[in-house]
Amino acid sequence: MRAIWVAVVLAVAASGAQAADDPHTRALAAGYKAAFLCSGVFNAGRPEAEIAADDLEGIYPEYQALVRTLPATVDRQAKTVSVAFDPTLPPRIAAWRPHLGCAQLPIGARVDGAAKLPTLGIVREPGPKAAWPAGDEQATGKAPKALAPLLAKAFSDYGGKTTAVLVVKDGKIVGEQYRPGYDLYTPQRTWSAAKSLTATVVGRAVQLGKVKVDAPANIPDWKAPGDPRASITLAQLMHMGSGLWTDGPGNRTDEAYLGGGLVTEWATRMPLEVAPDSRFRYANNDTLLAARSVRAALGDGADALAFPFTELLWRIGMNHTTLETDWQGNYILSSQVWTTSRDLARLGLLYLNDGVWNGERLLPEGWAKFVATPAPAQPPNGPGYGAFFWLHGPAQGLPEGAYAMNGNRGQYVFIVPSKKVVIVRRGFDSAQARFDEVRFARDVLAALEAN
């Protein structure tokens, strides 16, 4: 066993050394550092040293050593981050915009390209203080005695690296704790929990009659006569059942996330591999395509860029949420969303209320049931999958009908309709140290019942 372990360590070290010498890997590592420094500084207002310790550690091994050593420059006046990686090319650039956060310029682009990035032409004046959930006043309800000690243990006893936990019961916050330096206004990247937000953006577009979930997705690149992908529906994308080829399960999409590549360059070009709905394959591309379909249906202009904010986020009080785009304004809604724990709880409440907010129906009637209904093809093991939500239940020791938003590095939002409960956990986990989210959710529900 020790000989095998040594062989694995040597293999990883060798691959890391090879990656460091590869120009494209260096460009992607520089993009990783530029993106996370930019978002951490300008979305979240966090110190650079803290970002280096949290966001830039425990990452993909082929980038880890490079990210630690590549030199970065943060220009706080211009709101850009530059990371040098090659003496013959300009540094990698990430540039910030209000509401839209940081976008990466393509490899080889110079910093003056930041002035040409799409911007959201809406100035949203801060409104008066409002009561929860529209605002943050009068947010808390009676807390069960057993809950606070349990939430404190989330920072020590469940694994991982926790930054925040929050519990909503019967519409009120009954438990909320943060790591030092974090509070209710500190956003973090959602990673793939953003996929559930994409489901909600699609649902809002369905409610407004802009798209139909069972109709073919509106992907302009697929409209050439004879393209078989033109029949793939929005529902099949949301079920992770598009049948499109990807570079293996998980579909990391590094070119779009880290390389300054466009959604329309990468997600739209994959060929069919199997019949739609015949296979579950977790793929970032399916989410990127669903978001692209909504944008195309809305006309690709300023209204499409504003749609998630004016029609969804700001209507439910998600005022501390940033949706990031590629350099041509395509939302990267599979991962690149920065938001607070309270804003995620608001999203969970929208689903507990079946898409009704303050008496107004924002999502189609039954949309919560749709996203929590098992997709035609399911993962081979573990929790089930609905429509951009993970499905839980008695097999995981949770109530029937529980479902969740899940994201890399420990971003979890459990929605438990039968208990009228939303459970949020945020963190900076690594592959070697993961938070036990299901055990935590079970323990929270038990603590709520014990009161």
Side-chain angles (χ1 to χ4, degrees), residues 62-75:
E62 65 268 39
Y63 303 137
Q64 182 68 85
L66 288 165
V67 164
R68 287 173 180 155
T69 57
L70 291 174
T73 301
V74 178
D75 187 331

Side-chain angles (χ1 to χ4, degrees), residues 170-194:
D170 296 325
K172 289 287 190 177
I173 297 173
V174 295
E176 183 177 26
Q177 293 191 29
Y178 296 93
R179 189 182 87 176
Y182 280 69
D183 63 19
L184 67 163
Y185 300 120
T186 308
Q188 280 183 248
R189 180 169 167 140
T190 63
W191 293 89
S192 287

Side-chain angles (χ1 to χ4, degrees), residues 11 80 96 106 108 111 173 288 295 323 333 423:
T80 62
W96 183 87
V111 70
I173 297 173
L288 294 171
R295 185 186 186 210
L323 310 183
L333 280 186
I423 303 167

Side-chain angles (χ1 to χ4, degrees), residues 1 13 21 37 59 85 96 108 171 178-179 204 238 261 281 327 385 392 397 400 411 435 437:
M1 179 62 71
D21 293 333
L37 271 176
I59 66 173
F85 70 101
W96 183 87
Y178 296 93
R179 189 182 87 176
R204 183 62 180 148
M238 295 175 71
R281 172 162 285 182
W327 60 275
Y385 205 77
H392 295 268
E400 189 72 45
Q411 322 313 315
F435 187 80
E437 75 279 8

Side-chain angles (χ1 to χ4, degrees), residues 146-171:
L147 188 59
L150 174 65
L151 296 189
K153 292 180 180 178
F155 296 82
S156 59
D157 291 6
Y158 289 85
K161 189 178 180 181
T162 300
T163 54
V165 285
L166 184 151
V167 179
V168 172
K169 169 71 173 172
D170 296 325

Side-chain angles (χ1 to χ4, degrees), residues 238-255:
M238 295 175 71
H239 290 149
M240 298 293 185
S242 67
L244 294 169
W245 177 87
T246 69
D247 51 350
N251 180 216
R252 273 182 26 186
T253 52
D254 288 21
E255 302 301 332

